[in-house]
Amino acid sequence: MKWEGLIAQYRDFLPVTDKTPVITLREGNTPFIHAPFLSQKIGLDVYLKHEGTNPTGSFKDRGMTMAISKAAEKKAVAVMCASTGNTSASAAAYAARAKMKCIVLIPDGNIALGKLAQAMIHSAHVIAIRGNFDEALTLVKDITSKYPIELVNSLNPFRIEGQKTAAFEICDFLQHAPTFHAIPVGNAGNITAYWKGYKEYHQIKKTGLPRMLGFQAAKSAPIVDGHIIDKPETIATAIRIGNPASWKSAEAARDESQGLIDKVTDEEILDAYKLLAQKEGVFVEPASAASVAGVLKLHNANFFHGQKGSIVCTLTGHGLKDPNLVINNIAQPVVVEPTLQSILKEIGI
Ligand code: AN7
């Protein structure tokens, strides 16, 4: 099959016309990977939707191809976003392609190195604020409401439209919806988008509906705790968000699907992060491992007991986004002299 990007593939489900210039990096069509270790452990078929293989290394490209195409349609010259990293990387790439100016606000010191490098090389105007993501988003909303700059955070409805196509791909692969869909929750755009996608596909193709399982980081869990978190913390900087923009629609996805939104500790996130790499061969960034951490937490609480079918975990971003985490916190190579003897000794022969 020839894959020309998700707008071409799912045009009938998207708000585009012949007048929409399609700005694409051929995003989407990401690997849908069976996870044998997790499947055996949990007793249901577990699949990983590896969104880290999108062109800029995260699921944000699905929303950005739509947001930037629609911005190009209205002849916008500049776009702006607040970001914990991946949105800025994606916006910078698609804006470069569309010859638009891209301005990003990031929380100083709290975005992964790879993401910052991406925004810089695509020549976005990167402004680091001495504050967190929530403060950055408030500023961006204010500025884009007053000046002719397109907002490309997931408050932009075209972002959600693009991101919903991941649910279509899953249903196309399985020929029906999974029983459960597990997903990290930060600003809560993606859980909103998947649920919209599942509902729309079900209406037309009768693919069924999953129960949505969303997971926030324990110290950045406003939806679970029921109040705004002023100073969110977590090693998973991508989801270090205390006041999600799509809070209400995430709750709607949870309730309509008879699902849940729970929280996972940094320790649980790191355990899942290592498990994915070491047992399934899939390297993701820590925020992405929150979906698997959550599934393991529910498994340990017997949540899946007596259930049948499949669990799909969205892995939202690639592990190479945040290489420092591995080198500084997990492992480093041993260093030896360049002799046969020292190497044989090291490998225990
Ligand atoms: C890897 O880039 O909010 O719940 O500014 O990068 O839709 O926000 C990133 C979010 C999960 C959470 N996993 O998704 C940003 C940003 C990764 C992410 C999320 C993000 P949402």
Side-chain angles (χ1 to χ4, degrees):
M1 178 186 59
K2 198 162 117 208
W3 183 269
E4 293 180 1
L6 59 85
I7 294 180
Q9 185 72 16
Y10 295 113
R11 180 170 268 275
D12 294 348
F13 293 87
L14 295 169
V16 290
T17 68
D18 294 347
K19 294 193 180 62
T20 315
V22 175
I23 310 296
T24 180
L25 291 164
R26 302 205 170 183
E27 57 297 305
N29 197 23
T30 54
F32 190 69
I33 310 166
H34 187 248
F37 182 87
L38 286 164
S39 299
Q40 196 184 10
K41 190 174 176 74
I42 289 161
L44 278 81
D45 268 319
V46 180
Y47 293 92
L48 309 171
K49 183 67 171 159
H50 192 355
E51 291 290 288
T53 67
N54 275 299
T56 78
S58 87
F59 72 97
K60 303 288 182 181
D61 296 344
R62 291 184 185 273
M64 213 52 77
T65 185
M66 276 298 302
I68 299 291
S69 295
K70 294 302 282 189
E73 182 176 340
K74 59 189 260 203
K75 311 254 187 295
V77 294
V79 298
M80 188 171 188
C81 63
S83 183
T84 57
N86 280 324
T87 300
S88 62
S90 186
Y94 284 81
R97 212 172 161 84
K99 301 188 181 69
M100 289 175 197
K101 202 182 257 232
C102 177
I103 309 155
V104 306
L105 255 57
I106 54 167
D108 189 28
N110 272 303
I111 92 166
L113 193 63
K115 304 172 188 180
L116 182 58
Q118 287 178 288
M120 301 311 302
I121 191 65
H122 291 300
S123 70
H125 191 157
V126 179
I127 306 169
I129 63 158
R130 295 187 194 93
N132 60 31
F133 170 84
D134 303 290
E135 293 169 289
L137 184 57
T138 301
L139 287 161
V140 168
K141 282 195 282 188
D142 188 24
I143 292 164
T144 53
S145 71
K146 289 181 182 146
Y147 300 93
I149 306 174
E150 286 300 303
L151 169 81
V152 293
N153 280 104
S154 56
L155 286 162
N156 178 328
F158 299 123
R159 282 276 313 277
I160 304 294
E161 291 297 314
Q163 284 170 215
K164 77 185 181 188
T165 60
F168 299 168
E169 287 177 24
I170 291 165
C171 293
D172 285 342
F173 188 99
L174 291 173
Q175 299 290 303
H176 53 77
T179 321
F180 298 96
H181 187 110
I183 184 166
V185 176
N187 214 23
N190 215 23
I191 189 172
T192 302
Y194 270 89
W195 183 238
K196 186 170 198 283
Y198 279 124
K199 283 194 296 187
E200 288 181 7
Y201 233 46
H202 178 56
Q203 219 166 30
I204 289 169
K205 300 196 175 223
K206 302 283 167 258
T207 36
L209 294 167
R211 292 171 67 183
M212 299 300 296
L213 310 174
F215 298 100
Q216 301 195 291
K219 290 183 182 160
S220 305
I223 299 175
V224 183
D225 296 348
H227 56 84
I228 292 169
I229 308 292
D230 285 331
K231 298 211 179 322
E233 281 303 337
T234 170
I235 195 162
T237 51
I239 52 172
R240 190 171 174 272
I241 294 173
N243 187 13
S246 301
W247 190 321
K248 287 278 163 288
S249 51
E251 287 180 337
R254 175 195 66 193
D255 299 341
E256 288 170 28
S257 75
Q258 297 173 295
L260 57 81
I261 299 179
D262 198 353
K263 54 186 176 182
V264 285
T265 65
D266 279 6
E267 201 183 346
E268 290 168 324
I269 288 172
L270 283 178
D271 284 347
Y273 172 73
K274 287 187 272 188
L275 183 152
L276 279 166
Q278 293 165 5
K279 305 290 188 195
E280 305 289 7
V282 179
F283 184 30
V284 299
E285 64 170 289
S288 307
S291 53
V292 173
V295 165
L296 290 170
K297 178 180 175 182
L298 294 181
H299 167 68
N300 290 333
N302 268 325
F303 177 85
F304 298 110
H305 186 77
Q307 296 285 343
K308 286 196 187 64
S310 55
I311 309 173
V312 173
C313 300
T314 297
L315 304 179
T316 43
H318 203 285
L320 291 172
K321 293 272 188 178
D322 198 356
N324 291 352
L325 183 68
V326 179
I327 302 305
N328 297 336
N329 297 295
I330 315 270
Q332 290 192 10
V334 289
V335 180
V336 301
E337 292 307 313
T339 64
L340 186 62
Q341 195 190 13
S342 60
I343 289 166
L344 291 178
K345 182 172 169 237
E346 177 58 34
I347 56 186
I349 298 174

